[in-house]
Amino acid sequence: MDTAHPLTDPERQFLGCLMWLSADQARRLLTGMRAADLADPMATFVLQLAIELVADGHPPAPVALFVHAVRTGRATGEHRQHRLGGWLRETYSDVTPALAGWLKTVVLENAWRRALTAHAQRLIQAAESSPAEIVRDLADDTTAEELWTRYRDTLGESAGIPRLDSLRGKAA
């Protein structure tokens, strides 16, 4: 069950922005992104669909995402199709596509923080009762480091998609 409203959920806002982009713009925005970077299962599902569409040279418009899900057998049945269609509609509306680059950074930072928290929890559990060799192996978590690198890369990105800091002087 979705608890965050689409207007305040960075993952949904990111995906909403993505749906407004051409295939080339979306390809640049998706550089360094993985579906697993998102926490919400529906958002993860939609991002995977978008990655596949963009890889085939198609823009990730809502109708294209919906048709791709149906054609690939991942949105079977009236209930699933209705739910996906409603989710795409809500996510597509009320976004500011110019914030896509900044939202990517927010999404990756959140993914890094989740990975770091999960790693810390595993370390705490292992440190209490596991053999030292297991704790040592757990200390070398490459997932959090890899996410940190992708997050940091987005801070200096200029993939042709405006970032929030480039819009500040234009809003007044």
Side-chain angles (χ1 to χ4, degrees):
M1 179 175 188
D2 295 334
T3 56
H5 189 279
L7 289 176
T8 58
D9 180 352
E11 292 183 358
R12 288 188 75 172
Q13 284 287 297
F14 171 76
L15 289 169
C17 291
L18 182 67
M19 289 183 229
W20 283 89
L21 301 178
S22 69
D24 288 339
Q25 290 172 316
R27 182 176 293 106
R28 288 190 300 269
L29 183 66
L30 289 172
T31 299
M33 294 291 298
R34 297 190 178 98
D37 293 338
L38 306 184
D40 177 67
M42 181 64 96
T44 299
F45 172 69
V46 170
L47 182 54
Q48 183 59 44
L49 293 171
I51 289 169
E52 293 169 11
L53 279 173
V54 170
D56 288 339
H58 304 289
V63 70
L65 292 165
F66 183 83
V67 169
H68 184 61
V70 171
R71 284 187 180 159
T72 59
R74 291 181 273 177
T76 57
E78 185 177 340
H79 176 73
R80 284 186 182 167
Q81 290 175 5
H82 180 74
R83 182 168 181 251
L84 176 60
W87 194 93
L88 290 170
R89 182 185 66 251
E90 282 183 356
T91 303
Y92 181 71
S93 63
D94 297 324
V95 297
T96 305
L99 298 180
W102 178 74
L103 286 164
K104 175 182 178 178
T105 301
V106 171
V107 167
L108 285 174
E109 179 182 359
N110 290 344
W112 170 71
R113 289 179 182 278
R114 280 191 310 277
L116 201 56
T117 299
H119 178 64
Q121 290 170 341
R122 286 190 304 273
L123 275 174
I124 289 168
Q125 290 172 349
E128 291 174 354
S129 60
S130 297
E133 295 79 22
I134 291 175
V135 177
R136 183 194 69 227
D137 290 343
L138 279 175
D140 295 328
D141 184 324
T142 58
T143 302
E145 288 179 33
E146 185 262 338
L147 271 164
W148 173 255
T149 300
R150 291 191 289 126
Y151 160 66
R152 294 295 298 174
D153 287 347
T154 66
L155 294 176
E157 230 175 52
S158 60
I161 297 162
R163 296 206 18 219
L164 184 62
D165 53 3
S166 69
L167 299 172
R168 290 186 195 258
K170 300 175 186 176

